[in-house]
Amino acid sequence: MQATHEELLIEMKKLTDEKRATSNETILRQHSKDESHHSPVLPEVVVFPNSTEEVSSIVKFANEHKIPVVPFGVGSSLEGHCIPLQGGISINFQNMNQVLEVRPEDFLVKVQPGVTRTQLNQALKKYGLFFPVDPGADATLGGMAATNASGTTSVRYGIMRPQVRDLEVVLADGSIIHTGGLAAKSSSGYHLTGLFVGSEGTLGVFTELTLKVYGIPETTVAGRAVFPSVKEAVDGAVSLLSSGNSLARVELVDEPSIRQVNMHSDTSYPEKPTLFLEFHGNEGGIAQDVAFAEELLSANGSEELIFETDSIKKAKLWEARHHLAYAFKHGFSGREMMLTDVVVPLSELTGAVVYARELIESEGLPGGVLGHVGDGNFHSILMFDKNSEEETKKANRINERIVEYALSKKGSCSGEHGIGIGKMKYLRQEHSDTLPLMKMIKQQFDPNNIMNPGKVLF
Amino acid sequence: MQATHEELLIEMKKLTDEKRATSNETILRQHSKDESHHSPVLPEVVVFPNSTEEVSSIVKFANEHKIPVVPFGVGSSLEGHCIPLQGGISINFQNMNQVLEVRPEDFLVKVQPGVTRTQLNQALKKYGLFFPVDPGADATLGGMAATNASGTTSVRYGIMRPQVRDLEVVLADGSIIHTGGLAAKSSSGYHLTGLFVGSEGTLGVFTELTLKVYGIPETTVAGRAVFPSVKEAVDGAVSLLSSGNSLARVELVDEPSIRQVNMHSDTSYPEKPTLFLEFHGNEGGIAQDVAFAEELLSANGSEELIFETDSIKKAKLWEARHHLAYAFKHGFSGREMMLTDVVVPLSELTGAVVYARELIESEGLPGGVLGHVGDGNFHSILMFDKNSEEETKKANRINERIVEYALSKKGSCSGEHGIGIGKMKYLRQEHSDTLPLMKMIKQQFDPNNIMNPGKVLF
């Protein structure tokens, strides 16, 4: 028997309390969308659990009544992940936002899923520790684990998956499990932690995460290298990576993007393809790395090279880079933003970025290209008019061609944003071999398909 | 209908050729065991495929006739992984030992599963590249992926799982799939590559691996630090790790083990608890790291500190460490060796190692403790008389207590050797939460339980 909207709200209030379950129109609308261009869909009810036990009872009820369940962090996902496509319950984790335990000697931290990245780093600072994964947005750690997020620092510290030591997960039937432990490594059975990371809420709901953290590096140097062309910038980055240089960040920002940065931020960077760089290490090591980088980048055609050690100047540089998407949004307000996200092998990156730039120019949409060059991962920012069928088609066409190019080079259709709604057909293309196995797993873990339905596979 | 031994041999010869399938007693015996203390069991037939297609046809036949299939690399596993517990077919990969492709610009290499670690590094050398995972034994890469091997360098470069970009896998029904691609990262669907790595031949047979490789570091310095006690040695290592020092290796060797090394190798190291260290980086960075390490280790009670930059002396130092197990085997010939393998959180390592040493001493078995201190992973080498029921019990009791201690600290029952036969009951203890999910996956992937039966789960 299906529960009516009213019955569902009453039940959710019973499982939490009068104030922590709602069908208030404004709140439903806040939970109908993420930061992507995908169309909003309202949930039937939004619930704000305080504990794992509450999450468990919510999911158990949902499963018994075959009601969809969609976890919600801060809604910063980029492929429609937290849009409740089939209605049902949106579970907001804002009340489960505690840093539960810091174990400095073990380089571990235990958090609730609603803790955000900057909140965690604030808590870690006094221990001389930090959590490196930095997708730009101040996402929740639950969300970052769900999409296997990465970002600017992955070239050095790796992506989200290997940082996760243990997950507390509520399964579709409401049972609560732990997937790992506190060990730095393990060869004990199938790697379920790694299977849940990146499953985008379709296999279970995360209620607690144990994460690896790192010592704050002794020295950090940030830099900016300006190039006459995108090709020379990417080639410069690739040669730097091949040299074994200990880069912690290497980001490409193309000229239209630099223009937006200058308009939005208080900067006057040369409007040319630019690499934003960062080095982490000890003083002696970095001095040598920076000197070598200068030599190598100049040899690769860099026209201007600036390194900053001052912490305010470093922060400003990275703020400019991180605000890039917002710079486009503000610069083209009224337009919708589509963010492409593919990965190619490093040797194919120059070709792929040049191809993307050509596509954007030939379609005539405002937009730029930026990339986590160290991982062969890049994004195009496409600003299109959602009310214009033609422009929407153009944006979709650019996205499609970029994905097809990446897949033709044995890259991936998603580097860090995930599949969500937007990339389901490309997942089928990329992983036609393993799709039957993924489906088997999904059907076994979630036989009623209540966990974030309409995403990833079904 | 079950195939008889004879029919099976005839069929395997048909699927390969007259010479590449055999029931020769000597060859069967070679495939009846690994390097562990577990009792040998003969396969019915050993087959030497030349290609993925041959592996596929062998597995397909086995599945149709419900015949067990056990992959065999060089037999260096340590928990009975390649013992054909229920007879059937042992698939030896010695003919599939080609380095298929080196992509230096992409930091990738594609190999067949029979390629060994040193063979791969030989092939990579001319590109200035190396593959870092180093379990000591010259294992095959197929085997290393199957057990999620790690070893001395994991503190810096990570364990086997994150190095694997793509696996070609023959599934139980004989179908051939690829699990990944050439991208450095991906958020495209469930992480099946990570699920297959560490599955110990129970979910599929690997026929090709694409692996991440690294630039050979500019400078390498090896060192040895001698301590008055195991406690001070481990504490010294932990404080070094906490300092953010760029260690590439940090290995504990206790005094009975140093004694064996001196007896077996051409060394005269002080017979005291010792840390073997290695630093990788650029000259400037390492100079600073080594100076700081000297300061920190002395402050932690190190009585003797020797650093080597000469490549012959460095090689000698690590050779001594790597031959430790053989040193015990030769020193106590006639006795069987049991190698324990657990991981604990770093903060629990001193206690765990001291506990293990006390256990060994109180049981009165010859043995030593050595550890990959950076990962909180350590081994006890226990030399026992297999014909003495009492000594066998003692060895088993030590192993059991060490595992229970590790699990009580939320560590893992296996750091790198895997579950195999020997750790099945501890897996059930460690992962009681996720065991039903692991079993679901196994039953879906291998409904007839032909893939390395009797290991890991069933």
Side-chain angles (χ1 to χ4, degrees):
Chain A
M1 196 196 85
Q2 285 282 44
T4 65
H5 286 219
E6 208 121 302
E7 284 166 355
L8 180 56
L9 180 62
I10 292 167
E11 192 59 36
M12 288 300 112
K13 288 188 175 193
K14 260 195 247 163
L15 296 179
T16 54
D17 63 35
E18 187 57 39
K19 289 193 171 169
R20 291 191 287 114
T22 178
S23 292
N24 171 295
E25 184 72 17
T26 310
I27 295 175
L28 292 188
R29 211 170 295 134
Q30 284 164 358
H31 292 78
S32 69
K33 56 184 179 1
D34 61 4
E35 288 191 14
S36 73
H37 60 283
H38 296 289
S39 304
V41 180
L42 296 181
E44 293 173 63
V45 55
V46 179
V47 60
F48 300 83
N50 282 346
S51 67
T52 300
E53 290 63 36
E54 286 187 359
V55 175
S56 164
S57 63
I58 292 162
V59 173
K60 193 163 185 285
F61 177 86
N63 194 43
E64 280 163 8
H65 296 80
K66 300 195 167 63
I67 299 166
V69 159
V70 182
F72 188 98
V74 292
S76 59
S77 60
L78 289 162
E79 286 295 353
H81 300 81
C82 48
I83 299 175
L85 267 189
Q86 304 176 11
I89 305 162
S90 178
I91 305 181
N92 183 311
F93 282 94
Q94 72 181 33
N95 294 341
M96 291 176 68
N97 71 339
Q98 297 303 302
V99 176
L100 299 172
E101 191 186 1
V102 183
R103 296 174 66 113
E105 274 183 86
D106 294 324
F107 295 91
L108 290 177
V109 64
K110 195 194 278 184
V111 300
Q112 290 186 306
V115 171
T116 70
R117 181 176 66 80
T118 57
Q119 182 196 344
L120 174 58
N121 277 321
Q122 204 53 44
L124 291 173
K125 211 172 174 180
K126 65 176 168 223
Y127 300 95
L129 297 171
F130 80 117
F131 183 72
V133 183
D134 179 0
D138 191 18
T140 61
L141 290 152
M144 286 167 66
T147 55
N148 188 29
S150 45
T152 52
T153 59
S154 296
V155 60
R156 169 69 165 269
Y157 298 95
I159 60 177
M160 197 66 191
R161 185 173 285 114
Q163 322 295 337
V164 183
R165 291 285 173 78
D166 184 32
L167 288 172
E168 186 182 76
V169 183
V170 172
L171 298 177
D173 66 358
S175 58
I176 301 164
I177 61 161
H178 277 261
T179 62
L182 302 180
K185 65 180 190 184
S186 172
S187 283
S188 173
Y190 304 158
H191 191 47
L192 293 187
T193 305
L195 189 69
F196 279 105
V197 174
S199 65
E200 304 185 11
T202 65
L203 297 180
V205 178
F206 306 159
T207 47
E208 211 177 273
L209 304 92
T210 302
L211 303 169
K212 186 178 174 188
V213 294
Y214 296 75
I216 295 173
E218 181 195 306
T219 309
T220 302
V221 172
R224 205 161 40 75
V226 181
F227 290 85
S229 72
V230 162
K231 186 180 177 323
E232 277 157 302
V234 177
D235 286 347
V238 170
S239 74
L240 206 53
L241 290 159
S242 306
S243 77
N245 203 303
S246 72
L247 285 166
R249 285 179 158 129
V250 50
E251 295 287 304
L252 169 74
V253 185
D254 74 352
E255 55 209 279
S257 306
I258 291 280
R259 199 172 308 132
Q260 289 307 314
V261 165
N262 283 342
M263 270 156 56
H264 178 77
S265 305
D266 159 31
T267 52
S268 53
Y269 297 145
E271 291 179 1
K272 292 196 168 181
T274 303
L275 291 178
F276 286 63
L277 303 160
E278 196 164 277
F279 302 83
H280 291 181
N282 67 28
E283 222 182 305
I286 284 196
Q288 195 171 329
D289 272 344
V290 168
F292 190 50
E294 278 183 317
E295 214 175 285
L296 215 57
L297 293 174
S298 298
N300 274 276
S302 171
E303 299 169 343
E304 188 181 317
L305 258 163
I306 285 160
F307 289 97
E308 312 277 13
T309 50
D310 178 82
S311 64
I312 292 168
K313 285 184 180 163
K314 281 188 292 186
K316 190 177 161 191
L317 190 147
W318 285 108
E319 202 182 281
R321 162 64 189 84
H322 274 146
H323 287 177
L324 190 46
Y326 299 106
F328 269 100
K329 275 195 175 173
H330 291 167
F332 297 93
S333 65
R335 280 172 181 262
E336 195 72 25
M337 186 173 81
M338 188 186 286
L339 259 181
T340 74
D341 168 38
V342 296
V343 202
V344 293
L346 223 50
S347 62
E348 302 287 352
L349 185 61
T350 303
V353 169
V354 168
Y355 176 72
R357 286 242 24 96
E358 282 168 5
L359 275 176
I360 297 170
E361 274 154 37
S362 76
E363 295 283 7
L365 281 187
V369 174
L370 58 148
H372 309 313
V373 190
D375 305 320
N377 179 207
F378 70 94
H379 309 297
S380 306
I381 297 182
L382 308 172
M383 305 306 298
F384 66 104
D385 179 356
K386 214 178 177 174
N387 300 317
S388 153
E389 208 180 305
E390 201 199 330
E391 289 211 358
T392 308
K393 267 190 190 162
K394 282 183 175 183
N396 284 324
R397 193 158 51 212
I398 295 171
N399 187 22
E400 178 138 13
R401 294 215 171 136
I402 288 174
V403 170
E404 276 165 2
Y405 188 96
L407 294 184
S408 77
K409 306 298 182 189
K410 296 202 176 173
S412 176
C413 74
S414 174
E416 50 187 15
H417 297 170
I419 297 302
I421 303 167
K423 293 261 171 90
M424 290 172 70
K425 70 171 175 173
Y426 304 123
L427 169 66
R428 289 194 286 271
Q429 217 173 311
E430 181 177 344
H431 288 303
S432 56
D433 279 17
T434 52
L435 204 66
L437 300 176
M438 291 188 200
K439 287 182 175 173
M440 252 183 210
I441 290 171
K442 166 69 175 173
Q443 282 161 337
Q444 291 287 316
F445 280 44
D446 179 25
N448 295 324
N449 195 22
I450 62 151
M451 310 301 270
N452 209 2
K455 318 290 165 62
V456 189
L457 293 169
F458 302 109
Chain B
M1 197 195 87
Q2 285 282 45
T4 64
H5 286 221
E6 208 121 303
E7 283 166 354
L8 180 57
L9 180 61
I10 292 168
E11 192 60 36
M12 289 300 112
K13 288 188 177 196
K14 260 195 246 163
L15 296 179
T16 54
D17 63 34
E18 187 57 38
K19 288 192 169 170
R20 292 190 287 114
T22 178
S23 292
N24 171 294
E25 184 72 18
T26 310
I27 294 176
L28 292 187
R29 211 170 295 133
Q30 284 165 357
H31 292 78
S32 70
K33 57 184 180 356
D34 61 4
E35 288 191 12
S36 73
H37 60 282
H38 297 290
S39 305
V41 179
L42 296 181
E44 292 173 64
V45 54
V46 179
V47 60
F48 300 83
N50 282 346
S51 68
T52 300
E53 290 64 35
E54 285 187 359
V55 175
S56 164
S57 64
I58 291 162
V59 173
K60 193 164 185 285
F61 177 87
N63 194 44
E64 280 162 8
H65 296 79
K66 300 195 167 63
I67 300 165
V69 158
V70 182
F72 188 98
V74 293
S76 59
S77 60
L78 288 162
E79 286 295 353
H81 299 82
C82 47
I83 299 174
L85 268 188
Q86 304 176 13
I89 306 162
S90 179
I91 306 182
N92 184 311
F93 282 94
Q94 72 182 32
N95 293 341
M96 292 177 67
N97 71 340
Q98 296 304 301
V99 176
L100 298 172
E101 190 186 2
V102 182
R103 297 174 65 113
E105 274 183 86
D106 295 323
F107 295 92
L108 291 176
V109 64
K110 195 194 278 184
V111 300
Q112 290 186 306
V115 171
T116 71
R117 182 175 66 78
T118 57
Q119 182 196 343
L120 174 59
N121 277 320
Q122 204 55 44
L124 291 173
K125 211 172 174 179
K126 65 176 168 224
Y127 301 96
L129 298 170
F130 80 117
F131 183 71
V133 183
D134 179 0
D138 192 18
T140 61
L141 289 151
M144 286 167 66
T147 55
N148 188 30
S150 45
T152 52
T153 60
S154 296
V155 60
R156 169 69 165 268
Y157 299 95
I159 60 177
M160 197 66 192
R161 184 172 286 114
Q163 322 295 338
V164 183
R165 291 285 173 78
D166 183 33
L167 287 173
E168 186 182 75
V169 183
V170 172
L171 298 178
D173 65 359
S175 58
I176 301 163
I177 61 161
H178 278 261
T179 62
L182 302 181
K185 65 180 190 184
S186 172
S187 284
S188 174
Y190 304 158
H191 191 47
L192 293 187
T193 305
L195 188 70
F196 279 105
V197 174
S199 64
E200 304 184 12
T202 66
L203 297 179
V205 178
F206 306 160
T207 47
E208 211 177 274
L209 304 92
T210 302
L211 303 169
K212 186 178 173 187
V213 295
Y214 297 74
I216 294 172
E218 181 195 305
T219 308
T220 302
V221 172
R224 205 161 40 75
V226 181
F227 290 86
S229 73
V230 161
K231 186 180 177 323
E232 277 157 302
V234 177
D235 286 349
V238 170
S239 74
L240 206 54
L241 290 159
S242 306
S243 77
N245 202 304
S246 72
L247 284 167
R249 285 178 157 130
V250 50
E251 296 286 305
L252 169 74
V253 184
D254 74 351
E255 53 209 280
S257 305
I258 291 280
R259 199 172 308 132
Q260 289 308 313
V261 166
N262 283 342
M263 270 156 57
H264 178 78
S265 304
D266 158 31
T267 52
S268 54
Y269 298 146
E271 290 179 2
K272 292 197 167 180
T274 303
L275 292 178
F276 285 63
L277 303 160
E278 196 164 278
F279 302 82
H280 291 180
N282 67 30
E283 222 182 306
I286 284 195
Q288 195 172 328
D289 272 344
V290 167
F292 190 49
E294 278 182 318
E295 215 175 283
L296 213 57
L297 293 174
S298 298
N300 273 276
S302 171
E303 300 170 341
E304 188 181 317
L305 259 163
I306 286 160
F307 290 97
E308 311 277 13
T309 50
D310 178 82
S311 63
I312 292 168
K313 284 184 180 162
K314 281 189 291 187
K316 190 177 162 191
L317 190 147
W318 285 108
E319 202 183 281
R321 161 64 189 84
H322 274 146
H323 287 177
L324 191 45
Y326 299 105
F328 270 100
K329 276 194 174 173
H330 291 168
F332 297 93
S333 65
R335 280 173 181 263
E336 195 72 26
M337 186 172 81
M338 187 186 286
L339 258 181
T340 75
D341 168 39
V342 296
V343 203
V344 293
L346 224 49
S347 62
E348 302 287 352
L349 185 61
T350 303
V353 168
V354 169
Y355 177 72
R357 286 240 25 96
E358 282 168 6
L359 275 177
I360 297 170
E361 275 153 35
S362 76
E363 295 283 6
L365 282 186
V369 174
L370 59 148
H372 310 313
V373 190
D375 305 319
N377 178 208
F378 70 94
H379 309 297
S380 307
I381 297 181
L382 308 172
M383 304 306 298
F384 68 103
D385 179 355
K386 214 178 176 175
N387 301 316
S388 153
E389 208 181 306
E390 201 201 330
E391 290 211 358
T392 309
K393 266 190 190 162
K394 281 182 176 183
N396 285 324
R397 192 157 52 213
I398 296 171
N399 187 21
E400 179 139 12
R401 295 215 170 136
I402 288 174
V403 170
E404 275 165 2
Y405 188 96
L407 294 184
S408 77
K409 305 299 182 188
K410 297 204 175 173
S412 177
C413 73
S414 174
E416 50 187 16
H417 297 170
I419 297 302
I421 304 167
K423 292 260 171 90
M424 289 172 71
K425 70 171 175 173
Y426 304 123
L427 169 66
R428 289 194 286 270
Q429 217 173 311
E430 181 178 343
H431 289 303
S432 56
D433 280 16
T434 52
L435 204 65
L437 299 176
M438 292 188 199
K439 286 182 174 173
M440 252 183 211
I441 291 170
K442 166 70 175 174
Q443 282 161 338
Q444 290 287 318
F445 281 44
D446 178 25
N448 294 324
N449 195 22
I450 62 151
M451 309 301 271
N452 210 0
K455 318 289 166 61
V456 188
L457 294 168
F458 302 108

